[in-house]
Amino acid sequence: MGKKNNLIAGLDIGSSKVCTLIAHLNEEGGFEIIGYGETPSKGLKNGVVVNIESTVEAIQKAVEDAEVMAGEEIDNVIVAIGGPHIKGQSSHGLVIINDKEVKKKDKQRVIDNATAVAIPRDKEIIHVIPQEYIIDDQGGIKDPVGLAGVRLEAKVHIVTGATTSIQNVVKSCNKAGLEIEEIVLQQLASAEAVLTEDEKELGVALIDIGAGTTDIAIFYNGSIKFSSMFGLGGDHITNDIAVGFHISKKEAENMKIKHGCACSELVKSDEMVKVERLGGNENVPVSKKILSEIIEPRVMEILSIAKQEIKKSGVGELIASGIVLTGGTTLLEGIDKIARQVFPVPVRLASPGDVGSGIVEKVKNPAYATVVGLCLYGTKMDRNYAVSSSSFMKNVINWIQEFV
């Protein structure tokens, strides 16, 4: 599964950047990152492909740079998908156990039963994720095979996406010379990189604030219970800065990265930074305090919407471990302080853990949570993993490729 010559390749096609990681599997089931490539993304908006050619060029550049560093060529990838078109819903299935003992076929039957829900014609299933199995009213079962019983139930989380958006991702990769081994929900990938097993067991809400979107996932008892996303992220902060100071978006992005602070009370009123105004050839001093006062309301808005999403999920009371923030926007100084004002639970900032050697420091950054998570996800694809997506997505990908 994406493991030619024991290699795993993850591809994150984001709104601000396209990033590729190539990792080498070791005998213990872990991996070592051997190749890395990144290029600015110009073909996406809010996580959705809006320009095929620009996206293809960015993918090719990121993959080529990773291949040169790794000294290896790749022909298939595990790809993350996100965007407002992604929807998650819970479902329930029930079957009668014929032999009084649950067999693998019974497990598949109950999953199929739970998946038999009405899906709009313009949508496709990306994941069917088992949350728990129930045998004769006994719940909390993670794997029912071999257990005795008469009635088997399954609770699942179904993730769907717009067929056209999935198709554009597949087309972009195919035109870049790549086959897609698996399409993975962005939140699931990020969770692999930044959440601990204890957090997922006790209950945690992951908030991944990227450039174009903010992605949310709630985990409990080791499984995803809720997923959601909305079209606000770091790019909107950049736009606010550009408008506020009458500067280019490029200058605003640099200003945000170098001098941005999400909490204005952390900035002294006499601190100044220099920026280049639109139409001007000289740098002018502006207040860093004012910069922070532009950033803070947008950060507060993003976090407040995330709070509303968690509240309406119906499982917000399960997050005993609190909130975990990741994504490139969380590099803003003071964002954790603002988050603690918004959420009445513990908050921590998260980056990918110790995942290899060589260029590990480069990817120990919340901006790379998704692409690192894709590689971690890939190490589990041959095992009895809790995410059942391959059969659905292979059908979707094969169908789409007939028209590419």
Side-chain angles (χ1 to χ4, degrees), residues 55-103:
T55 303
V56 170
E57 289 177 9
I59 292 172
Q60 289 174 329
K61 180 65 166 62
V63 170
E64 181 181 319
D65 288 349
E67 288 177 331
V68 169
M69 180 177 288
E72 299 274 5
E73 291 187 359
I74 58 172
D75 52 25
N76 52 44
V77 289
I78 304 168
V79 180
I81 193 165
H85 68 97
I86 302 292
K87 303 296 179 186
Q89 66 183 81
S90 295
S91 185
H92 177 268
L94 184 152
V95 297
I96 299 301
I97 305 169
N98 297 322
D99 299 328
K100 311 303 181 186
E101 179 181 306
V102 179
K103 302 290 196 298

Side-chain angles (χ1 to χ4, degrees), residues 315-368:
V315 291
E317 73 279 0
L318 298 178
I319 56 172
S321 296
I323 304 290
V324 174
L325 297 177
T326 195
T329 303
T330 63
L331 289 168
L332 280 169
E333 180 188 358
I335 195 169
D336 53 335
K337 186 176 179 67
I338 298 298
R340 292 185 183 101
Q341 296 174 15
V342 174
F343 297 102
V345 294
V347 174
R348 76 173 179 91
L349 301 180
S351 297
D354 189 4
V355 296
S357 61
I359 59 167
V360 169
E361 291 304 320
K362 174 65 179 179
V363 298
K364 281 188 176 180
N365 179 313
Y368 304 109

